[in-house]
Amino acid sequence: MDVALYGPGGFYVRPGGPGPAGHFRTSVHASALYAGAVARLLRWVDAELGHPQGLDLIDVGAGRGELLTGVLAALEPETAARVRPYAVERAQRPAGLDPRIRWVGEPPEGTTGLLFANEWLDNVPLEIAEDGRYVLVAPDGTESPGGPLDGADRDWLERWWPGGVGPDETGRAEIGRARDEAWAGAVASLERGLAVAVDYGHTRDARPPYGTLTGFRAGREVPPVPDGSCDVTAHVALDSCAGPGAALLTQREALSGLGISGSRPALALASADPVAYVRALASAGEAAELTARGGLGDFLWLCQPVGIRAAWPGAATG
């Protein structure tokens, strides 16, 4: 999985082409409302931090920098002037990107602000277990049984994926230990602020019995063949990633709290200001897609505070 995604000629690092946006639709690509919501969250973090002179915004798994570009455009000039935007990405910097955006391979250390990872953890490579053994995968996607699980992976499954360990078990389990470690490392790079991971995920009481490993190419779901021709992804056990004080919300809940609503505008606006009505109607349609049940609204947001009072605007402090 690592070679297929990030090795020479890997899906995410090959030069040219449309980037991830050409293969699948994320919330970032669905609507500028998403970047506006992240901008509002950044303003809240800024206030929690006491409006520091330098306000860091770190986008982990930045694609082609679309989210950072949208957030900078949504901020008022005074705040934007204090923002230090970082795009964390293993691909090369795209041509024409806003020169304010720093392009880096790892989250910078000692930052103060908001670290945001939209659909990053689902592409952190992971091991798969079946019948108490690792699953081996050839470049053409053919699977075969591997060796028995090692102690650390077995311990993770016993704690976080009930039924995913024993040799008599027939289900598959996706071992999220690598995602836990990747997320812990990203959170540790923050000196103060909020770290947010957004992904399709699941929790301990509702793990998928046959796993979620799949592939995407050109907007279609395809077999997860690890040859570099497609995205290879699996949903994230976000509850295992969470640290002390973290909050876990659905995207529907998170965006509602950040002012995104799919409610249709009042019909009276259609006669009073037809242009404004059409704009409001289009905005409501985009908001509805971002918050839809059974779709993007079911994404999970893991919010981890670092040195601030709460994990989310309006949450209890202590």
Side-chain angles (χ1 to χ4, degrees), residues 34 38 41 57-60 67 114-118 196 198 301:
Y34 192 76
V38 176
L41 182 59
L57 175 59
I58 308 100
D59 182 9
V60 185
L67 179 60
L114 174 63
L115 182 145
F116 201 87
N118 185 76
V196 179
V198 182
W301 286 44

Side-chain angles (χ1 to χ4, degrees), residues 160 162 202-207 239:
W160 293 109
H202 42 68
T203 55
R204 190 179 187 277
D205 59 351
R207 301 289 187 221
D239 52 340

Side-chain angles (χ1 to χ4, degrees), residues 54-299:
L55 179 64
D56 296 310
L57 175 59
I58 308 100
D59 182 9
V60 185
R64 297 298 184 265
E66 298 96 333
L67 179 60
L68 287 174
T69 300
V71 172
L72 289 171
L75 292 170
E76 60 281 357
E78 185 278 326
T79 303
R82 291 187 292 112
V83 170
R84 296 180 297 219
Y86 294 89
V88 182
E89 184 55 71
R90 294 171 72 169
Q92 295 181 355
R93 182 188 182 99
L97 187 66
D98 189 322
R100 292 175 293 177
I101 297 174
R102 300 159 170 86
W103 197 263
V104 296
E106 298 288 342
E109 296 293 330
T111 49
T112 299
L114 174 63
L115 182 145
F116 201 87
N118 185 76
E119 296 196 54
W120 168 56
L121 286 175
D122 67 308
N123 289 127
V124 171
L126 82 171
E127 299 282 3
I128 295 177
E130 189 167 357
D131 302 336
R133 308 181 75 85
Y134 291 108
V135 174
L136 303 181
V137 187
D140 66 358
T142 302
E143 295 185 355
S144 59
L149 302 176
D150 68 24
D153 286 340
R154 181 175 291 272
D155 290 346
W156 188 92
L157 287 173
E158 288 178 343
R159 179 178 181 186
W160 293 109
W161 200 297
V165 178
D168 297 328
E169 300 292 341
T170 57
R172 286 164 67 99
E174 294 159 353
I175 305 171
R177 188 166 64 89
R179 275 90 179 270
D180 294 358
E181 293 170 355
W183 181 242
V187 172
S189 71
L190 269 180
E191 184 172 309
R192 290 182 66 220
L194 182 70
V196 179
V198 182
D199 247 304
Y200 271 127
H202 42 68
T203 55
R204 190 179 187 277
D205 59 351
R207 301 289 187 221
Y210 300 105
T212 60
L213 186 72
T214 192
F216 286 94
R217 182 193 302 117
R220 296 178 178 271
E221 190 170 7
V222 297
V225 177
D227 61 0
S229 68
C230 65
D231 182 28
V232 180
T233 177
H235 295 186
V236 185
L238 280 169
D239 52 340
S240 76
C241 297
L248 194 59
L249 311 169
T250 66
Q251 177 155 299
R252 187 167 48 257
E253 294 167 333
L255 293 184
S256 175
L258 294 171
I260 301 298
S261 171
S263 300
R264 294 170 63 92
L267 283 175
L269 183 62
S271 55
D273 190 338
V275 173
Y277 177 78
V278 170
R279 289 173 179 166
L281 193 62
S283 179
E286 293 175 6
E289 180 182 4
L290 291 173
T291 59
R293 298 181 187 275
L296 295 175
D298 290 343
F299 268 71

